[in-house]
Amino acid sequence: MGEVAALRQLVGQVQELWDLYGANAHPLPRQNTYHLSPPLVGYFVDMQLCIKRWYLLDFEHGSIKDDYCGGRTGCNSELLKIMETNQSPPRKRPRRDRNREKAPCSNTTEVMQQEIWKEFPEDLFETVIARLPVAAIFRFRTVCRKWSSLLGSDSFSHQYSEAPHGLPWFYTITHENANNNVAMYDPSLKKWHHPSVPLAPTKIVIPVASVGGLVCLLDLSHRNFYICNPLRQSLKEILPRSAQGWSRVVVGMVLNGRSSSHGYKVMWLGNDGTYEVYDSTRNMWSCPGVFPASIKLPLALNFRSQPVAVGSTLYFMCAEPDGVLSYDVSTGIWRQFAIPLPLHLTDHTLAEFQGRVMLVGLLCKNAATCVCIWELQKMTLLWKEVDRMPNIWCLEFYGKHMKMTCLGNSGLLMLSLKAKRMNRLVTYNLLKREWQKVPDCMLPCSRKKQWIACGTAFDPCPSALA
């Protein structure tokens, strides 16, 4: 308290000197001078510059710090702060108020008015939902019955067909699980999905083709066909083909329009040149024309290679001679192209990317094995290599008798590489030219690895109807 009294006396003396010798100065109000409390704030006047400044006095550290518009500062002191005119010293706020300011904005969510959303246009709902990821679309169905019924509407189907979508999924059949041997792979999330309800009938069926979100299944007798939407877990049996007797066939699918709502066609082709086309809009099989005599029979079809569709044209892989056989479903025109295969090629299959016909296969020479990608050159009708698997991956196959199966051949390839005590699944993105390893397929409640037997790629479309 003695220091405070001494300070008050000093301030009074300065005031008296200023009143006596200050020529152009204004007297300071004494009531502002003597009403001080610790920490003391003094109001002083520089005699030479006539500049008013506020000071915060710190008696514990014995220092004074001042500042005026970026001017000079005194001794360093963390407790010394500049006080603005007519501003009280800072006081400590309760911890609850400080925590409330630090909390994220998400905690202060605004309550949406129900009247606003009542007038929200329905077509905008469909436009937004159609652009969501597939997993999110099935989550939104649990919001209400109205949103759940959107998947079956024609307007939503049109919106979904117009919206851009990502990578295709893979519909595969596993060896181990006999009751429900279907597994679907989402490459965007790198996750396997196992349907809770079996999609296939009691008969043993294999996926042979897909288009517009629909997958075509064929039983081992090669007579009975099934069309399913794996996402909606819907299944439809179509009429069996009219050909009598057992004969192995290859199967392809094309759309009648831009989406499955306009219908689709399923075509099968045998080695002896017999073929039929199923039209979903007419629900019947037909043979649109006669197989041309200029094409040599038997066709020696490559049954390990699934046909690829480019528009309304299907491309089949055949041998003797090596080449490609095409059929335009809309016009009924057949064409054959003799295209020599690259040397040392085994387990090859056709693929499609942005309207171009591709080839993928194992290139084996001596003890080395590598997976290569080729593109068909339209002018020269030759295969041109565009990419191959990284060498570090190929070293794993060195000296081993490898077998390759292509499980998907449209945009994104899934390759099953097998050898003794080895089964590798890899994907190849034709757009990014990127190789990735596929995680092991395992059931949710089991640690046992599922071995993939066969499969096909399909575009995930929740609104596709068989």
Side-chain angles (χ1 to χ4, degrees), residues 45 53 104 110 160 178 211 237 257 268 272 281 289 293 321 338 343 349 379 387 390 410 425 456:
V45 181
R53 290 177 289 180
E110 299 181 358
Y160 194 88
V211 70
E237 182 178 1
W268 64 264
D272 56 356
T281 58
L343 298 177
T349 181
M379 298 298 295
D387 201 0
S410 179
L425 287 176
T456 187

Side-chain angles (χ1 to χ4, degrees), residues 236 238-239 264-266 276-280 283-285:
K236 172 187 175 182
I238 63 178
L239 298 175
Y264 56 88
K265 289 184 174 66
V266 180
E276 282 185 323
V277 178
Y278 172 82
D279 192 343
S280 64
N283 191 27
M284 62 177 297
W285 292 95

Side-chain angles (χ1 to χ4, degrees), residues 65 104 424 462:
K65 184 178 180 180
R424 297 288 184 268

Side-chain angles (χ1 to χ4, degrees), residues 254-406:
V254 296
L255 291 174
N256 292 337
R258 299 190 61 181
S259 65
S260 60
S261 60
H262 298 92
Y264 56 88
K265 289 184 174 66
V266 180
M267 177 188 174
W268 64 264
L269 173 65
N271 258 336
D272 56 356
T274 57
Y275 69 98
E276 282 185 323
V277 178
Y278 172 82
D279 192 343
S280 64
T281 58
R282 300 169 59 189
N283 191 27
M284 62 177 297
W285 292 95
S286 63
C287 185
V290 180
F291 197 80
S294 58
I295 300 178
K296 182 182 177 181
L297 296 176
L299 297 175
L301 294 171
N302 183 357
F303 293 102
R304 295 176 59 88
S305 174
Q306 294 182 3
V308 297
V310 179
S312 61
T313 303
L314 291 171
Y315 292 87
F316 306 89
M317 196 84 192
C318 57
E320 299 179 5
D322 294 328
V324 175
L325 184 67
S326 69
Y327 176 73
D328 193 328
V329 179
S330 60
T331 61
I333 298 177
W334 287 93
R335 290 182 180 177
Q336 187 177 29
F337 306 94
I339 307 172
L341 293 175
L343 298 177
H344 313 291
L345 181 64
T346 62
D347 294 344
H348 52 279
T349 181
L350 289 178
E352 180 272 334
F353 172 62
Q354 295 182 351
R356 290 174 284 178
V357 179
M358 314 293 290
L359 179 69
V360 55
L362 281 178
L363 202 61
C364 302
K365 187 175 181 180
N366 298 330
T369 302
C370 184
V371 181
C372 298
I373 311 294
W374 293 268
E375 180 183 347
L376 180 60
Q377 305 297 301
K378 295 182 179 180
M379 298 298 295
T380 60
L381 289 181
L382 295 175
W383 297 109
K384 177 184 177 182
E385 183 178 338
V386 293
D387 201 0
R388 60 173 54 195
M389 182 177 285
N391 292 331
I392 191 66
W393 290 18
C394 297
L395 290 176
E396 188 179 4
F397 311 142
Y398 186 83
K400 298 179 181 178
H401 183 65
M402 300 297 301
K403 289 291 184 181
M404 189 196 75
T405 303
C406 186

